[in-house]
Amino acid sequence: MFLKRIVYFSRKTLHLYLQSSTMSTFTSRINMVTGNNEWIFVDDDDFDYNQELARSAFADMLHDHERNIQYEQAIIKTIQTLSKSTKKIHVLDIGTGTGLLSMMAARAFNQTINSSCSLRITACEVFQPMAKIAKKCIEKNALSHCIRVIDKRSTELDLENDLQGDRINIIVAEVFDTELIGEGALRTFSEACKHLTIDNENLRIIPARATIYVQLVQSSFLQEFHTLKNLSETNQKIKIPDGCRHLAGNTIFDLNANEIKNYIRPLSKPIPVFDFDFKSLNDKTNFTKEKILENIQCDYDGQIDAFVMWWNLDMDEQGEIQLGTIPSWCYDDKEKEQNVQWREHWIHAIYYPQQPKIVKAKDQVSLYCFHDEYSLYFDVGISPFPPKSFTPAFLSRSAVAGFNNDKRRNKYIQALEKSFSNPSINRCLYIGDGLLLPLLILEMYPNIELIILQSSNIHLAHTLEKILTNSSKQLNYRIIPSLDKENIDFQTIDMILSEPFFTKSILPWDNLHFYYLIQQYHHSNIKLFPSKARIRCIALEFDNLYKIRSPVNQCCQFDLTPFDEQILQASLNVDATIEPQSLFEYSSKKPTLSSIIDLIEIDLEKISQKNKIETINLDIPFNVDGICNGIAFWIDYQLEDNIWLTTGIENENDSWANYSKQGVHLLLKPIEIKSGMKLSINAAFDFQKGQFSFNIIS
Ligand code: SAH
């Protein structure tokens, strides 16, 4: 069956909208025993959509004041102007969400002093649970009489039945993502214009146009997320072949670039690369376009490591009202730079050239630009360009950063030196999807025989083989497809190692999967690396991240409490949710509100814990005054006696490891705290299921 578009409401749930208006839902769960991230089909009637809505970043969008204000101004201006020249206004709000933009249109019309014009508003929303919330919000604000909500995708609206033949003269829509077009905005506007609207000249679309910009930047920090670097600069046996260097592919890397601006050095001015006039989109090429921009001037000497991309919207026809995702460093005005709107629903997109390019100030380069219906691609060089290639991702960007991170590498090197100084260690088993540790062992210890359990990620398995066969010397390894006894005799194994890292893991403790894989084989003579894991936490005051879960209450003087209530309802009766976040992208108050607290220690060498649930009640004492709005969780692994590797922070005020996602619980109701106060919590680790849970008691 043809799938129209995949919409992510959260990183854990996929809603697949099929060609008909029906919707199927798959939810992702990690099975610790098999290690598989399973997509489980759930019947629509059974599925708790509210839970998914609660986990989405929908609320953050409603907290985006700049977005709300610019939309409202454009709506007011358009309705005021049009009501002077027409007798009838029919607004179509595409993707109404809570009904916010429709309600803005109703209010704008009520405030215009033109009695001879009539108003009709049709709001459509493809996600049925959201359409129900829209109806409730509109009712709560006493606007049901003038706004009709239809729970359909705009492309499925029928002019005669759904709009009673009454053609649209204003479209308002906020169907954009970080990449602008990733939610299908091009087809959404094009189809509406083709089938539902009056003539182009009298039609108004809010926003009217969009421009996509890129800037050439130097950033070894961003390169760390893209290109695998060799184990050392000199003399190594194992070299990573060029074809294996970009395991995260060249798909978009989306992140909060403002938070890492100190690691980004612009080499050019912002370059406008694509313009979209939403009234006149051309679907003849399936919304695909490519072009080469010649003579792009570099302003500084440096290396083009990446492209930072953002976009800007002309909200009104004249382009007087603007809304965009311009990075903070591009503002001329210092005050604006400091007060840039924080948002999570639109961040920045990073793309990488096929080869970083060294340039001198005043050099001119050519920029290749491509987009299809949903995504963008850029490259730089001297033409002719290699063809665009959307190479797929076999590893996440953070896993690539983990491979490259020097501090992490050095910890492994130190720990391996200690472990392998024991002469009785000869034959080892490596388990996991991490490429670094097996390569380090084979490079550094030719006398160790390494048996490698093949990754269940077939592409990674092939990559590892390619890297190893590219070695300049014979390496002492064997790759096995399973731990069955015909492949491995555990009596002869001296040590089992894991980074531990699995591509399917979502939360930090999911990587403990390696412990589950070996449980039935492990015996007391086998040393484990790592030997212990401890789950740790810290209380934080996030500068902004907490907003993605804060209640909205009033938004532009509209009462959106039905939206909050639905989410609150969903959050009751379940453990406090812990979601994966890359905390290096989100600043928080320093010094931190609490010290680092150890919650659960797992002795991986003691398999007797198998059926146990370990529960702990403890207090988190606060060291400073502030507002506690989040608790971060992560795991530290003991590699050797005094060598611990963190996946979070080692010390309170360190920067967060960028090579692993941490778990975060954002408090629905942030707590105002004073130094000396305590937060009582309960945490549990279920050894059978490998699940960690946590609750705030008081
Ligand atoms: N307009 C609201 C919500 C914006 S979020 C606001 O500005 O606050 C975008 C919403 O559009 C989502 O709820 C998504 O489900 C919906 N959506 C996206 N494309 C759509 C389409 N073509 N037709 C109907 N709904 C769509």
Side-chain angles (χ1 to χ4, degrees):
M1 196 181 302
F2 170 70
L3 296 180
K4 269 210 155 165
R5 175 71 183 141
I6 297 170
V7 177
Y8 279 89
F9 265 92
S10 81
R11 274 161 267 204
K12 277 195 171 179
T13 304
L14 277 178
H15 301 286
L16 302 182
Y17 295 92
L18 308 180
Q19 194 162 30
S20 69
S21 57
T22 57
M23 182 170 67
S24 306
T25 299
F26 295 82
T27 189
S28 156
R29 285 183 199 135
I30 187 118
N31 179 329
M32 283 301 271
V33 183
T34 62
N36 283 334
N37 197 344
E38 299 169 335
W39 288 105
I40 300 166
F41 173 77
V42 277
D43 200 307
D44 274 0
D45 293 340
D46 301 338
F47 191 65
D48 188 356
Y49 288 108
N50 296 324
Q51 188 60 42
E52 292 312 312
L53 261 180
R55 288 190 200 136
S56 76
F58 213 95
D60 156 64
M61 179 181 67
L62 298 165
H63 289 294
D64 182 343
H65 297 298
E66 187 187 9
R67 177 199 87 113
N68 299 342
I69 288 168
Q70 302 306 76
Y71 261 92
E72 180 150 34
Q73 281 189 4
I75 290 169
I76 293 171
K77 181 176 172 192
T78 309
I79 288 188
Q80 275 180 356
T81 319
L82 211 62
S83 63
K84 288 184 193 139
S85 61
T86 185
K87 291 249 165 305
K88 210 159 86 179
I89 291 180
H90 188 177
V91 178
L92 175 63
D93 173 6
I94 301 181
T96 196
T98 55
L100 179 68
L101 305 183
S102 290
M103 294 194 283
M104 286 177 176
R107 180 162 66 192
F109 182 80
N110 289 340
Q111 289 169 357
T112 50
I113 337 146
N114 188 329
S115 51
S116 61
C117 180
S118 70
L119 173 77
R120 181 171 171 193
I121 303 173
T122 304
C124 69
E125 171 55 56
V126 65
F127 186 45
Q128 280 98 331
M130 205 63 226
K132 280 190 196 149
I133 293 177
K135 283 181 193 158
K136 284 190 195 156
C137 289
I138 292 167
E139 199 180 315
K140 186 99 191 189
N141 291 282
L143 289 168
S144 303
H145 61 283
C146 60
I147 303 168
R148 181 158 168 254
V149 178
I150 304 178
D151 55 355
K152 274 189 181 175
R153 174 173 278 280
S154 60
T155 46
E156 274 135 22
L157 288 177
D158 176 278
L159 180 63
E160 289 315 314
N161 297 318
D162 294 315
L163 308 181
Q164 284 86 45
D166 194 1
R167 286 186 174 270
I168 301 296
N169 50 4
I170 299 181
I171 294 177
V172 58
E174 200 274 69
V175 285
F176 308 110
D177 67 349
T178 293
E179 250 183 324
L180 184 80
I181 57 175
E183 284 180 16
L186 298 181
R187 187 170 299 276
T188 293
F189 286 116
S190 155
E191 300 251 316
C193 291
K194 224 187 224 171
H195 303 296
L196 309 173
T197 58
I198 59 164
D199 59 292
N200 251 3
E201 203 177 312
N202 292 304
L203 170 68
R204 299 287 174 272
I205 300 188
I206 305 169
R209 292 172 296 274
T211 305
I212 289 183
Y213 293 86
V214 300
Q215 188 171 36
L216 315 179
V217 302
Q218 172 161 15
S219 173
S220 52
F221 181 89
L222 289 176
Q223 264 298 323
E224 289 240 322
F225 289 85
H226 185 56
T227 309
L228 296 190
K229 60 183 192 203
N230 275 319
L231 298 182
S232 78
E233 293 302 319
T234 49
N235 282 341
Q236 73 267 30
K237 288 178 277 183
I238 299 174
K239 279 208 181 109
I240 298 168
D242 284 347
C244 300
R245 281 187 182 270
H246 299 130
L247 297 185
N250 58 4
T251 48
I252 171 189
F253 177 25
D254 51 343
L255 90 168
N256 273 302
N258 291 343
E259 297 271 352
I260 52 148
K261 64 179 176 200
N262 296 341
Y263 301 104
I264 293 177
R265 185 172 161 255
L267 297 175
S268 75
K269 300 199 172 46
I271 309 154
V273 289
F274 288 115
D275 288 313
F276 300 98
D277 181 341
F278 293 130
K279 261 190 202 177
S280 21
L281 293 168
N282 181 0
D283 65 356
K284 293 211 177 72
T285 56
N286 271 336
F287 305 106
T288 296
K289 193 164 185 177
E290 73 180 332
K291 58 174 156 185
I292 293 175
L293 300 176
E294 310 274 6
N295 308 332
I296 301 293
Q297 168 140 343
C298 301
D299 296 333
Y300 304 98
D301 294 3
Q303 172 166 298
I304 303 170
D305 287 313
F307 310 106
V308 179
M309 170 270 185
W310 68 92
W311 46 258
N312 196 61
L313 303 173
D314 282 347
M315 298 301 293
D316 58 324
E317 286 273 297
Q318 295 72 29
E320 286 164 0
I321 305 167
Q322 304 260 315
L323 174 64
T325 56
I326 179 167
S328 59
W329 64 83
C330 289
Y331 283 108
D332 299 331
D333 179 341
K334 275 278 154 231
E335 199 184 314
K336 259 195 153 170
E337 181 181 342
Q338 262 144 33
N339 295 319
V340 65
Q341 172 77 48
W342 182 88
R343 40 173 75 107
E344 170 73 2
H345 63 116
W346 297 329
I347 44 181
H348 297 112
I350 310 294
Y351 304 85
Y352 294 91
Q354 290 203 28
Q355 287 296 330
K357 186 172 170 55
I358 292 170
V359 289
K360 293 244 166 288
K362 304 228 164 55
D363 273 2
Q364 300 214 327
V365 294
S366 306
L367 181 65
Y368 173 84
C369 314
F370 171 86
H371 76 81
D372 61 16
E373 194 172 335
Y374 302 111
S375 31
L376 305 152
Y377 175 86
F378 303 98
D379 201 2
V380 72
I382 318 287
S383 48
F385 279 85
K388 68 189 174 298
S389 55
F390 283 111
T391 46
F394 306 141
L395 273 186
S396 66
R397 296 261 170 220
S398 56
V400 173
F403 186 91
N404 289 331
N405 186 284
D406 285 331
K407 208 168 162 194
R408 185 170 176 270
R409 280 186 180 193
N410 288 336
K411 284 263 166 141
Y412 283 130
I413 291 172
Q414 264 180 32
L416 289 177
E417 274 166 3
K418 214 162 173 191
S419 299
F420 291 152
S421 63
N422 177 347
S424 65
I425 307 265
N426 294 308
R427 181 175 286 157
C428 300
L429 167 68
Y430 177 78
I431 292 179
D433 293 341
L435 295 176
L436 179 67
L437 195 50
L439 297 189
L440 281 178
I441 296 169
L442 291 170
E443 174 74 33
M444 293 166 59
Y445 299 97
N447 297 330
I448 299 283
E449 181 191 343
L450 189 65
I451 300 170
I452 301 170
L453 177 66
Q454 191 174 53
S455 169
S456 57
N457 176 334
I458 197 72
H459 302 290
L460 265 190
H462 286 158
T463 305
L464 181 63
E465 286 223 63
K466 261 195 221 157
I467 298 175
L468 294 177
T469 47
N470 187 50
S471 159
S472 59
K473 289 220 174 89
Q474 189 74 26
L475 300 172
N476 196 3
Y477 75 96
R478 184 158 64 88
I479 296 179
I480 55 171
S482 72
L483 296 180
D484 296 342
K485 58 176 182 296
E486 60 267 25
N487 296 319
I488 181 168
D489 174 4
F490 273 87
Q491 295 309 321
T492 67
I493 297 294
D494 304 313
M495 188 166 169
I496 300 176
L497 302 102
S498 185
E499 288 196 14
F501 164 73
F502 293 89
T503 48
K504 288 169 184 161
S505 298
I506 297 168
L507 285 161
W509 32 92
D510 295 340
N511 287 319
L512 291 172
H513 170 57
F514 96 98
Y515 166 72
Y516 290 84
L517 277 175
I518 56 170
Q519 263 193 6
Q520 55 171 309
Y521 308 106
H522 178 241
H523 60 80
S524 57
N525 293 336
I526 304 184
K527 186 176 154 59
L528 283 193
F529 179 109
S531 52
K532 278 189 187 145
R534 60 183 181 209
I535 302 180
R536 315 187 91 190
C537 78
I538 193 165
L540 297 170
E541 177 174 338
F542 285 109
D543 293 341
N544 293 298
L545 183 63
Y546 71 98
K547 291 178 192 160
I548 64 173
R549 302 282 168 264
S550 307
V552 179
N553 293 318
Q554 299 268 319
C555 178
C556 300
Q557 296 95 48
F558 291 110
D559 183 342
L560 297 189
T561 48
F563 170 76
D564 293 334
E565 279 157 19
Q566 207 88 1
I567 285 179
L568 192 69
Q569 192 56 38
S571 321
L572 299 175
N573 309 326
V574 287
D575 284 334
T577 35
I578 299 177
E579 55 188 282
Q581 294 286 359
S582 298
L583 288 184
F584 75 90
E585 290 181 49
Y586 305 102
S587 56
S588 59
K589 180 178 162 157
K590 297 279 157 61
T592 52
L593 302 187
S594 77
S595 310
I596 295 174
I597 309 279
D598 285 328
L599 294 174
I600 308 253
E601 182 155 299
I602 304 164
D603 189 340
L604 298 164
E605 290 184 325
K606 284 199 188 132
I607 51 172
S608 58
Q609 291 166 333
K610 197 173 158 190
N611 296 319
K612 175 168 118 183
I613 297 182
E614 188 169 321
T615 311
I616 177 172
N617 288 325
L618 57 76
D619 291 335
I620 302 181
F622 294 115
N623 303 332
V624 291
D625 297 357
I627 295 176
C628 176
N629 53 28
I631 299 179
F633 300 86
W634 69 98
I635 296 200
D636 281 2
Y637 293 103
Q638 187 182 39
L639 305 180
E640 265 294 338
D641 284 350
N642 294 320
I643 305 177
W644 284 81
L645 178 71
T646 188
T647 62
I649 45 175
E650 267 172 25
N651 298 300
E652 278 74 16
N653 296 309
D654 287 355
S655 343
W656 289 92
N658 64 12
Y659 49 78
S660 174
K661 285 196 176 179
Q662 292 76 35
V664 184
H665 170 69
L666 297 170
L667 276 69
L668 272 183
K669 289 192 184 141
I671 310 168
E672 203 173 333
I673 52 136
K674 293 255 170 272
S675 171
M677 278 171 64
K678 289 177 174 139
L679 187 70
S680 298
I681 64 156
N682 162 279
F685 190 77
D686 180 335
F687 280 87
Q688 201 171 11
K689 296 191 183 136
Q691 278 171 5
F692 174 74
S693 58
F694 142 90
N695 272 308
I696 294 177
I697 304 169
S698 61

